[in-house]
Each structure stands twice: as C-alpha cells, then as structure tokens.
Amino acid sequence: MTIYIALLRGINVGKNNRIKMADLKSLLETMGLEKVKTYIQSGNVLFEGPDDSAQLSKQLEDKISETFGFPVPVMLRTAEEYEQIVRNCPYSMETLKEGESIQLAFLADEPSQEKIENLRSFKSEPDECFINGKEVYFYLRQSILDSKLVAQLPKLGIPATVRNWKTVMKLSAMIEK
C-alpha cells in the first residue's frame, strides 16, 4: 500500500460544488482506500491505497463525479513525491514580510516547455514563480487574489489547484504521523 495526498480542485469555493469532507471520506473508504483523513474543507485528503497512482486518480475523479454530480479534477501525489515537493521549495518562510505568502500550484500533468516559458516570461512585479515538474511555486508579495501572475496559471492548459504554504506543511506533518 502507498500513502497518497489527493488535492481536489474547485470544491467548497463560493456556493458551488459543495462536498462535505465526511461524505468524501466515506466515499474513499467505500472504494477500499484505508486510513482516510481529510484536512479543512478545500479538498485535501490523505489515505493509503494501491500502487497504481495514474489509475487511482482517474478512479477518484470518476467516482466523485458519479457520487456528487459534478466533475472534480484530482491532483494525486504519493507521500514520497509530496515530501520531495516540500524540499524543492525555493522560497523561505523566514524571509516573508507581512502580507507576503508562498503558494503552491499542483498540476495534473507537466506543462509543455512552450507553456512554461510563457509563464516564466510574464512580467508581474512584484510576484515571482518557480516551475518544477508538475508544481508551480509562487512567491507573492500581495494577496493571491490580486496576483496577475497567479491569474496566468490557466494558460498552462492543465488542471491545477493551489494551496498556501501553511496547508502544504500541515499535510506534510500528517504524512509523518
């Protein structure tokens, strides 16, 4: 069995696409997944499951859509991948000033080199980003809602979901337990 983190995109934001975490947990348990734990309402789930992550991600998306009546992209990472993602962060929480943040976008797939270059070339003072595989690390000196750089993320053409660094670290701590 492999430990996974599933990051669901676009649930419980505003009035649309509501899924209670207790219902999501029950659904994953009925799929035969074990030790299912959720964290906050934005679709973060830790569990143990079979070793085929590509097939599992598709099964999760299909079952969530079938059960709740709307499609939900699922970004799935093994615990090992997730811990490497945390270690790869090029930004430090210690250097953040008031109002600044580190945000992490988890992508469903790796973007093409052309799309990566388009995002890197976007000039968005004062924010910056670092792209590594299926993750985009953002160093924001303003609110994520005001970031023109983060607003470019959909241009990668790949489903993505963003988490703040505090949530990223909380999920990392849950893996260690």
Side-chain angles (χ1 to χ4, degrees):
M1 295 289 265
T2 301
I3 298 171
Y4 291 98
I5 297 279
L7 303 138
L8 283 63
R9 180 182 186 278
I11 66 163
N12 301 337
V13 178
K15 296 178 183 175
N16 299 323
N17 299 342
R18 293 275 184 203
I19 299 176
K20 291 180 182 176
M21 293 300 99
D23 294 342
L24 181 61
K25 181 178 189 260
S26 293
L27 174 65
L28 271 62
E29 289 171 342
T30 64
M31 292 175 65
L33 303 175
E34 300 176 4
K35 299 181 183 176
V36 180
K37 296 178 186 152
T38 63
Y39 175 67
I40 63 176
Q41 294 296 313
S42 59
N44 306 294
V45 188
L46 178 78
F47 60 88
E48 287 186 17
D51 293 337
D52 188 353
S53 60
Q55 182 179 349
L56 182 56
S57 182
K58 176 79 170 109
Q59 287 173 336
L60 286 168
E61 288 179 354
D62 290 348
K63 198 68 167 167
I64 290 168
S65 179
E66 175 187 311
T67 303
F68 298 106
F70 52 87
V72 176
V74 175
M75 282 23 95
L76 193 62
R77 302 295 188 268
T78 66
E80 187 177 300
E81 290 169 331
Y82 194 88
E83 291 305 313
Q84 187 61 49
I85 290 164
V86 170
R87 287 190 296 274
N88 287 343
C89 183
Y91 308 116
S92 169
M93 287 294 290
E94 285 76 40
T95 63
L96 292 179
K97 297 176 183 151
E98 187 174 335
E100 296 181 338
S101 68
I102 297 171
Q103 306 282 332
L104 182 53
F106 295 88
L107 309 177
D109 293 302
E110 281 193 44
S112 69
Q113 194 59 41
E114 178 185 356
K115 301 277 186 178
I116 290 170
E117 291 307 319
N118 286 341
L119 185 62
R120 283 186 179 144
S121 67
F122 184 79
K123 301 297 179 212
S124 178
E125 295 288 329
D127 300 333
E128 57 187 87
C129 72
F130 174 77
I131 304 166
N132 186 21
K134 296 190 295 185
E135 280 69 44
V136 181
Y137 301 82
F138 290 100
Y139 185 87
L140 305 179
R141 292 177 179 87
Q142 59 188 341
S143 167
I144 189 171
L145 300 174
D146 298 326
S147 175
K148 290 181 172 70
L149 182 58
V150 174
Q152 300 303 305
L153 195 59
K155 292 183 179 179
L156 290 176
I158 297 169
T161 189
V162 179
R163 300 294 188 271
N164 66 46
W165 197 250
K166 181 180 176 184
T167 296
V168 170
M169 295 309 295
K170 177 63 178 176
L171 292 171
S172 179
M174 287 174 68
I175 289 170
E176 291 177 15
K177 290 181 184 177

